[in-house]
């Protein structure tokens, strides 16, 4: 992604600037060569520039002094400008230029972050505004475990983009329109003659209300006819029907908000009904561009590479998901002026979105090339499985209610804290807050740490384990660091301005380097829409800290000031990782 301004926290980017000068000096006649800089896993250095081989294949046969990729690598290394960042360079294999960073520069960079704040390490992306469309449950149906993934993944992507200076429009595209509303409205009228005064307490379980109305619809032809007429009345804007529809939506919304409150997720609702008025004009535009054709009584868009067309008007004249999604995409591009539109749904909807995006490219709404803006991306995710390896359900084969799942996570977390005597040590409020932070954090992290495309097994025992790659382990690791700082009795805010970080021990340097890679990791997770990249970084950070703390005495050592600042830098980066993952940190255990 092109950057508008230098990002002081991004090491890879700063090195790329140096290598850009080196490449221009090495091959002045080959313009616009993108520096290929990557973090190193080998023992030769911290970063590596991998341009030599590609460059050699470009200049081979042309007039130059080089005899092969290693010679190109040597020249790039010689032409690298002097910089306080770099301690030493070497060339390995077919011209890889390895860079060892200066430990003094790493220390200074950490110190600067502690004084100026971690937001100075935020990535700079090439866009100003994005839409993230996530969660999106259906009105009158319970939120279930499938919505959990969309809600958690979408919230984290939105948080990472917001941290990266992007204005994010968080959109809840709820299913609040369609033929099922005729059935629900008629059932509401029938069960509650004073339906305008009805509350969610009276309606009770919305899922049961939906099922009962569906049963009535399927078994009673007279009710079915009434329901079908009600749809026409609702879609025609009949006041009484609109009010009943709004009532049902409101009851559902209150249910959803309970879940969002637990998860600390903020969304702005713009449901299917919002885009409905835009559909005719959008279809008119697509028809004028010769995209829409008649086929077997329906109106469709044929898309190359797919053996089924995208139906935009059904044979009965009604609109469907494709018509709504095209109208929503048009609105987001033209009215909301979004440059990147991200849809977070299960992988089963991949083909649908591929077809919608392809149609939008044919219409000239989106760029034909994948990496230019405006663009749209589908963020697919796998299933949540039970321990039997099948789709996660309750014993009576019902899909698990999300609110029950979150309650249980909190309750188990609280039991574990009470077993450790925290109910005696802490106030009731502290106990509740910690149980929530750990319980809800455990559910989120168990989902986010997996590559989102894979299915994952929901297991409370695993996610609430305080060992291994879990939120509990990471939250406790953070609390331990805070405890080390507290026990020192030093004012860490004062130390930031009076003390200095020194990275003489190998484990101090390794921890410092890992901290410094935070910015480029967030950028990678954003660019590829993969939250698990950030989770892996956070877990490795915790492991690096453990190694440092095992081998480097902090409190009472000659290096106490420097090492306390290193502890503070680690806690600061961990807290920002937690924030981006939507997890609330705990400060004592």
């Amino acid at each position: 992604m092109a950057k508008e301004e230098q990002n002081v926290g991004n090491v890879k980017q700063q090195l790329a600037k140096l290598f850009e000068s080196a490449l221009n000096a090495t091959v002045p006649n080959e313009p616009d060569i993108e520096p290929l800089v990557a973090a190193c896993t080998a023992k030769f250095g911290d970063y590596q520039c991998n341009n030599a081989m590609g460059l050699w294949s470009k200049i081979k046969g042309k007039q130059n002094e080089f005899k092969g990729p290693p010679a190109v690598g040597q020249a790039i290394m010689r032409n690298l400008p002097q910089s306080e960042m770099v301690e030493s360079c070497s060339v390995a294999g077919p011209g890889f230029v390895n860079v060892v960073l200066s430990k003094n520069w790493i220390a200074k960079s950490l110190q600067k972050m502690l004084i100026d704040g971690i937001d100075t390490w935020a990535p700079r992306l090439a866009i100003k505004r994005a839409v993230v469309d996530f969660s999106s449950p259906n009105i009158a149906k319970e939120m279930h475990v499938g919505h959990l993934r969309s809600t958690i993944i979408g919230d984290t992507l939105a948080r990472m983009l917001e941290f990266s200076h992007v204005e994010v429009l968080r959109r809840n595209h709820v299913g609040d329109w369609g033929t099922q509303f005729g059935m629900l409205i008629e059932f509401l009228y029938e069960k509650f003659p004073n339906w305008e005064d009805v509350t969610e307490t009276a309606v009770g379980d919305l899922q049961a209300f939906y099922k009962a109305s569906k049963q009535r619809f399927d078994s009673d032809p007279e009710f079915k006819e009434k329901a079908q007429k009600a749809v026409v009345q609702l879609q025609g804007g009949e006041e009484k029907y609109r009010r009943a529809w709004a009532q049902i939506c409101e009851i559902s919304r209150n249910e959803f908000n309970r879940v969002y409150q637990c998860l600390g997720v903020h969304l702005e609702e713009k449901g299917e009904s919002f885009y409905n008025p835009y559909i005719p004009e959008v279809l008119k535009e697509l028809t004028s561009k010769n995209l829409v054709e008649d086929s077997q009584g329906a109106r469709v868009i044929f898309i190359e590479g797919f053996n089924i067309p995208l139906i935009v008007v059904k044979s009965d004249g009604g609109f469907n998901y494709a018509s709504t999604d095209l109208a929503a995409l048009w609105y987001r591009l033209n009215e909301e002026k979004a440059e990147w539109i991200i849809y977070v749904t299960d992988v089963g909807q991949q083909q649908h979105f591929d077809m919608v995006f392809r149609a939008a490219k044919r219409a000239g709404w989106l760029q034909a090339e994948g990496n230019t803006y405006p663009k749209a991306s589908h963020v697919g995710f796998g299933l949540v499985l039970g321990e039997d390896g099948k789709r996660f359900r309750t014993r009576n084969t019902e899909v698990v209610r999300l609110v029950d799942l979150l309650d249980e996570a909190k309750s188990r977390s609280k039991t574990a804290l009470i077993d450790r005597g925290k109910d005696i040590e802490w106030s009731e409020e502290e106990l509740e807050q910690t149980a929530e932070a750990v319980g809800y954090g455990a559910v989120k992290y168990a989902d986010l740490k997996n590559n989102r495309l894979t299915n994952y097994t929901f297991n409370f025992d695993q996610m609430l384990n305080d060992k291994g790659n879990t939120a509990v382990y990471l939250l406790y690791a953070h609390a331990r660091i805070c405890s080390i700082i507290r026990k020192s009795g030093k004012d860490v805010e004062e130390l930031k301005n009076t003390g200095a970080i020194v990275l003489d021990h190998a484990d101090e340097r390794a921890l410092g380097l890992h901290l410094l890679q935070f910015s480029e990791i967030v950028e990678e997770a954003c660019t590829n829409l993969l939250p698990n990249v950030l989770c892996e970084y956070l877990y490795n950070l915790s492991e690096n800290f453990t190694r440092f703390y095992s081998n480097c005495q902090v409190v009472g050592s000659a290096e106490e000031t420097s090492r306390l600042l290193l502890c503070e830098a680690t806690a600061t980066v961990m807290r920002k990782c937690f924030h981006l993952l939507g997890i609330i940190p705990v400060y004592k255990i």
Side-chain angles (χ1 to χ4, degrees):
M1 286 188 169
K3 308 298 175 305
E4 290 183 2
E5 51 193 284
Q6 180 71 359
N7 169 13
V8 295
N10 192 321
V11 182
K12 201 194 292 191
Q13 207 179 306
Q14 291 181 65
L15 282 173
K17 278 232 172 305
L18 292 178
F19 276 106
E20 198 175 349
S21 301
L23 288 162
N24 288 338
T26 306
V27 280
N29 301 326
E30 298 288 335
D32 305 324
I33 290 178
E34 181 103 0
L36 304 173
V37 177
C40 252
T41 46
K43 56 182 182 292
F44 301 113
D46 303 318
Y47 284 83
Q48 196 171 64
C49 173
N50 302 326
N51 282 88
M53 280 176 78
L55 205 48
W56 171 247
S57 63
K58 265 188 155 186
I59 61 174
K60 195 166 47 177
K62 294 183 187 175
Q63 205 62 40
N64 61 65
E65 80 263 31
F66 304 117
K67 296 279 187 290
V72 177
Q74 293 287 350
I76 294 170
M77 183 177 81
R78 276 197 309 278
N79 287 320
L80 196 68
Q82 280 290 310
S83 166
E84 61 167 345
M85 283 178 79
V86 179
E87 190 150 301
S88 64
C89 286
S90 60
V91 175
F96 299 132
V97 183
N98 292 305
V99 174
V100 175
L101 297 178
S102 149
K103 63 183 180 183
N104 294 341
W105 179 81
I106 298 172
K108 262 166 56 179
S109 304
L110 294 176
Q111 189 115 22
K112 191 166 168 35
M113 179 276 287
L114 282 175
I115 293 166
D116 297 342
I118 193 160
D119 288 352
T120 56
W121 279 7
R124 299 265 171 191
L125 302 188
I127 55 164
K128 293 274 189 288
R129 183 179 294 164
V131 165
V132 182
D133 173 329
F134 66 107
S135 193
S136 310
N138 288 315
I139 294 289
K141 288 187 176 178
E142 289 282 1
M143 281 181 83
H144 57 75
V145 80
H147 296 117
L148 178 70
R149 294 210 78 181
S150 177
T151 307
I152 288 172
I153 293 166
D155 182 51
T156 287
L157 295 176
R159 284 167 181 266
M160 292 195 298
L161 287 164
E162 284 158 352
F163 176 60
S164 308
H165 304 281
V166 177
E167 181 194 352
V168 178
L169 307 179
R170 295 157 160 263
R171 292 288 174 258
N172 201 1
H173 189 88
V174 296
D176 65 352
W177 203 243
T179 51
Q180 76 274 27
F181 280 96
M183 161 187 104
L184 291 164
I185 289 168
E186 279 305 325
F187 197 62
L188 182 74
Y189 290 163
E190 196 171 277
K191 281 203 75 168
F192 303 100
N194 303 328
W195 58 271
E196 296 205 56
D197 306 321
V198 81
T199 62
E200 57 193 289
T201 325
V203 172
D205 185 344
L206 261 177
Q207 191 82 356
F209 183 82
Y210 187 93
K211 272 191 172 162
S213 67
K214 179 84 172 85
Q215 208 171 354
R216 192 73 207 285
F217 183 85
D218 291 341
S219 61
D220 182 338
E222 199 182 322
F223 179 83
K224 185 174 187 172
E225 196 181 329
K226 271 188 186 171
Q228 285 166 338
K229 281 182 181 159
V231 177
V232 178
Q233 302 276 20
L234 172 64
Q235 295 187 342
E238 182 69 44
E239 182 59 28
K240 178 185 167 190
Y241 289 85
R242 295 289 290 202
R243 285 210 310 274
W245 167 77
Q247 186 92 330
I248 292 165
C249 289
E250 191 52 35
I251 292 169
S252 249
R253 210 170 275 129
N254 294 339
E255 285 276 311
F256 301 157
N257 286 339
R258 274 204 280 277
V259 171
Y260 297 141
Q261 216 170 342
C262 286
L263 293 172
V265 169
H266 302 285
L267 282 144
E268 187 184 336
E269 185 182 306
K270 273 193 167 65
E272 289 172 5
S273 63
F274 177 84
Y275 302 104
N276 218 44
Y278 296 92
I279 294 174
E281 276 305 308
V282 167
L283 292 183
K284 198 168 147 189
E285 182 188 321
L286 294 172
T287 306
S288 74
K289 292 178 174 175
N290 298 321
L291 264 71
V292 182
E293 302 173 41
D294 291 321
S295 174
Q296 297 171 15
R299 310 208 63 213
V300 306
I301 299 174
F302 286 100
I303 289 161
E304 207 181 319
F306 292 90
N307 51 14
I308 50 163
L310 188 66
I311 299 171
V312 292
V313 183
K314 296 184 292 188
S315 50
D316 65 2
F319 300 135
N320 61 1
Y321 284 134
S323 21
T324 307
D325 283 335
L326 283 164
L329 183 55
W330 179 91
Y331 183 88
R332 289 160 177 178
L333 289 165
N334 294 286
E335 297 293 325
E336 295 181 322
K337 308 284 187 219
E339 296 151 278
W340 195 5
I341 299 145
I342 297 160
Y343 295 81
V344 187
T345 75
D346 63 274
V347 285
Q349 294 186 49
Q350 179 77 51
Q351 187 187 50
H352 166 75
F353 281 107
D354 279 351
M355 292 175 82
V356 168
F357 299 162
R358 203 74 72 83
K361 285 176 183 177
R362 275 188 60 196
W365 297 354
L366 297 172
Q367 298 292 325
E369 289 305 308
N371 282 328
T372 48
Y373 297 98
K375 72 173 180 178
S377 304
H378 177 245
V379 173
F381 53 81
L383 296 172
V384 182
L385 306 176
E387 286 170 61
D388 57 0
K390 295 180 182 154
R391 196 188 276 262
F392 190 53
R393 295 181 186 278
T394 56
R395 286 214 177 89
N396 61 0
T397 75
E398 289 289 335
V399 173
V400 181
R401 289 175 73 222
L402 205 39
V403 79
D404 295 341
L405 206 69
L406 294 169
D407 285 348
E408 182 162 356
K410 178 186 168 182
S411 155
R412 285 179 179 233
S413 166
K414 189 173 178 179
T415 304
L417 289 165
I418 290 169
D419 287 348
R420 294 171 52 204
K422 298 300 169 188
D423 53 330
I424 298 158
E425 267 181 63
W426 295 349
S427 69
E428 180 59 29
E429 190 186 3
E430 277 181 312
L431 187 65
E432 281 294 310
Q433 283 174 348
T434 308
E436 271 183 20
V438 174
Y440 301 156
V443 171
K444 288 185 177 189
Y445 189 81
D447 188 323
L448 294 167
K449 74 174 181 181
N450 302 289
N451 182 311
R452 56 180 166 75
L453 292 167
T454 58
N455 298 338
Y456 91 98
T457 303
F458 193 97
N459 180 313
F460 274 123
D461 292 335
Q462 277 175 8
M463 61 178 67
L464 289 164
N465 195 335
D466 59 3
K467 291 174 184 65
N469 190 5
T470 67
V472 187
Y473 167 74
L474 294 165
L475 286 165
Y476 285 4
H478 171 262
R480 271 193 292 276
I481 297 171
C482 296
S483 162
I484 294 163
I485 296 168
R486 274 196 306 273
K487 281 178 183 162
S488 74
K490 297 285 166 39
D491 179 348
V492 82
E493 289 306 313
E494 195 181 309
L495 294 185
K496 286 179 190 179
N497 294 302
T498 57
I501 296 177
V502 180
L503 304 173
D504 284 342
H505 192 286
D507 292 325
E508 290 174 316
R509 187 188 183 283
L511 176 58
L513 176 63
H514 192 79
L515 287 166
L516 212 50
Q517 288 168 337
F518 168 73
S519 177
E520 64 205 51
I521 290 292
V522 176
E523 183 168 327
E524 183 191 334
C526 266
T527 309
N528 300 320
L529 303 168
L530 289 172
N532 61 299
V533 168
L534 183 62
C535 294
E536 190 183 341
Y537 170 84
L538 175 57
Y539 180 65
N540 289 337
L541 174 57
S542 180
E543 296 287 272
N544 268 314
F545 182 82
T546 301
R547 232 182 339 271
F548 151 75
Y549 191 63
S550 304
N551 297 323
C552 302
Q553 184 190 341
V554 177
V555 180
S557 68
E559 302 83 0
E560 181 181 86
T561 296
S562 166
R563 288 175 180 173
L564 282 172
L565 288 170
L566 203 46
C567 287
E568 179 64 16
T570 305
T572 302
V573 171
M574 284 186 91
R575 281 195 287 276
K576 186 51 80 175
C577 289
F578 287 140
H579 170 75
L580 297 176
L581 298 169
I583 295 171
I584 294 169
V586 297
Y587 292 82
K588 57 183 194 177
I589 48 167

